[in-house]
Amino acid sequence: MSGDPIPQRPRINLASDNVVGASARVLDAIVRANADAEPSYGADRYSARAEALLAEVFERPLQAWLTATGTAANALALAALCPPWGAVLCHAESHILEDECGAPEFYSGGAKLIGIPGVAGKITPDGLSDALARLSPGVARSVQPAALSLSQVTEAGTLYSLDELRALTALARRHGLRCHLDGSRFGNAVEALGCSAAAMSWQAGFDALSFGATKNGALACEAVIVFDPALAASLPFQRKRAGHTLSKSRLLGAQMAAYLEDGHWRDNARQANAMAARLAAALAALPGVRLPWPTQANEVFAVLPAALAARWREAGIVCADWASRGLPEGYAIAADQRFVRLVTSYATTPEQIDAVIGAA
């Protein structure tokens, strides 16, 4: 009923970085853009400003299409790189394979996603080589290898080094594949590696990028970025057909511009990463808590005693239960333990982290 009170929210919610709202800077930009009358469907000055800032951040000319969701950004980017009869090679636990309800297959017109196993969310060159060896280029009865998609940050919260990225894209290119980077937490990865956006994208061999802003301070805004104009010809039509060519596109452009200006995206990512490091260090010191791999960005994965997880629930502290695939070999989880993910954001404070540890 409309008069029912809103349920009380958890005291501290670390289930995802999607649970927090937009930053004040981004909200202010939306309000300012909302007051203007602007051309529709991407012809506004805010969208032009956003694309110019993206070119500045990535240190080269590029083409960018703003969308409201990461699923759309990933699916449209892959549709530009992969034909309907093609195959996209990705990690077996990647977001595009497990969490997007077949959107990449749908938007590409039927391309097949092939998952490659790997510890801690990462594909190795040997794993990629094995997957490529099982395909049959030029054989009409087989999907054709067309694209490699990597996630940075990975689904396990880990990072590829720049050398690892370059090794994988070089291997893919030797087999004629285009390369896509799922960068839903791109800012967290760049900040953690201490590198430039250019170094972790086109300089590392990627043709297209899904550039995420929503998890790091935007309200609902992502970008499909393509570095090769030849690959971009279909994207205006694919985005329109997908329902992501917004009539009031200035509200996307305003978000992206505010997100990028004055390094706001990196400041937000730096705060989120610092809070994750603080949390990971404190958790590792607790009896019975294990971290299966290092915390490298803003996601902490931990094996907890079930009793500790219960205490957190009672205290209103929320984390996400996680599947145990991708753990290091021999890393067992007992019946009285829980494997969880905790995600910090630009809005997470030291006081919240201390409260989580205090409730343990």
Side-chain angles (χ1 to χ4, degrees):
M1 296 176 61
S2 59
D4 290 345
I6 297 173
Q8 185 175 3
R9 67 179 183 178
R11 189 160 69 92
I12 299 173
N13 193 330
L14 298 177
S16 171
D17 38 10
N18 284 317
V19 303
V20 298
S23 71
R25 179 190 286 260
V26 169
L27 286 177
D28 288 346
I30 294 171
V31 171
R32 290 194 301 272
N34 185 64
D36 291 336
E38 286 285 326
S40 301
Y41 302 110
D44 60 280
R45 57 196 168 108
Y46 296 95
S47 297
R49 171 67 174 160
E51 185 163 352
L53 284 167
L54 285 167
E56 183 180 308
V57 165
F58 284 90
E59 304 174 40
R60 61 165 291 167
L62 52 77
Q63 291 180 273
W65 290 264
L66 302 180
T67 71
T69 72
T71 294
N74 278 334
L76 289 170
L78 290 170
L81 300 185
C82 186
W85 55 88
V88 177
L89 282 73
C90 56
H91 192 274
E93 297 171 54
S94 63
H95 207 78
I96 61 171
L97 183 60
E98 295 215 325
D99 297 287
E100 293 184 339
C101 198
E105 296 95 321
F106 178 78
Y107 283 82
S108 65
K112 184 182 177 103
L113 270 62
I114 297 176
I116 302 172
V119 174
K122 294 171 66 173
I123 294 171
T124 64
D126 285 346
L128 177 57
S129 294
D130 289 346
L132 288 166
R134 292 194 296 270
L135 297 174
S136 302
V139 178
R141 58 182 165 78
S142 174
V143 290
Q144 298 299 289
L148 169 68
S149 180
L150 301 177
S151 300
Q152 179 84 323
V153 178
T154 74
E155 289 301 300
T158 55
L159 295 174
Y160 293 97
S161 70
L162 295 182
D163 285 343
E164 287 174 324
L165 291 175
R166 288 190 288 260
L168 288 165
T169 59
L171 175 58
R173 288 184 178 282
R174 288 198 294 273
H175 287 80
L177 276 65
R178 294 288 192 173
C179 299
H180 164 256
L181 188 68
D182 178 352
S184 66
R185 295 185 174 93
F186 188 89
N188 302 96
V190 164
E191 192 59 33
L193 291 178
C195 67
S196 67
M200 207 178 75
S201 57
W202 60 274
Q203 290 178 357
F206 291 97
D207 301 290
L209 163 70
S210 303
F211 181 75
T214 304
K215 287 178 167 61
N216 194 37
L219 183 68
C221 188
E222 315 281 309
V224 180
I225 297 175
V226 177
F227 300 109
D228 181 353
L231 296 172
S234 64
L235 271 167
F237 310 101
Q238 288 167 316
R239 184 178 65 158
K240 176 63 176 175
R241 191 167 182 259
H244 275 268
T245 304
L246 272 65
S247 58
K248 298 182 181 181
S249 54
R250 68 186 185 277
L251 300 179
L252 290 181
Q255 289 182 68
M256 184 59 74
Y259 179 68
L260 295 171
E261 285 169 345
D262 302 320
H264 184 53
W265 65 292
R266 295 196 71 143
D267 291 341
N268 284 0
R270 188 179 308 115
Q271 172 68 13
N273 290 359
M275 292 302 97
R278 183 186 185 105
L279 176 60
L283 283 175
L286 292 177
V289 174
R290 295 180 293 156
L291 306 184
W293 43 73
T295 295
Q296 295 182 293
N298 70 316
E299 296 174 275
V300 182
F301 288 79
V303 179
L304 311 173
L308 188 158
R311 289 195 296 274
W312 275 352
R313 284 195 299 272
E314 292 169 4
I317 296 165
V318 178
C319 55
D321 290 324
W322 211 253
S324 58
R325 292 181 301 146
L327 288 168
E329 186 175 354
Y331 203 100
I333 298 174
D336 62 347
Q337 295 177 324
R338 299 290 182 269
F339 185 35
V340 302
R341 183 188 76 164
L342 304 102
V343 189
T344 56
S345 75
Y346 76 93
T348 306
T349 65
E351 292 75 20
Q352 288 176 318
I353 299 302
D354 293 346
V356 170
I357 298 304

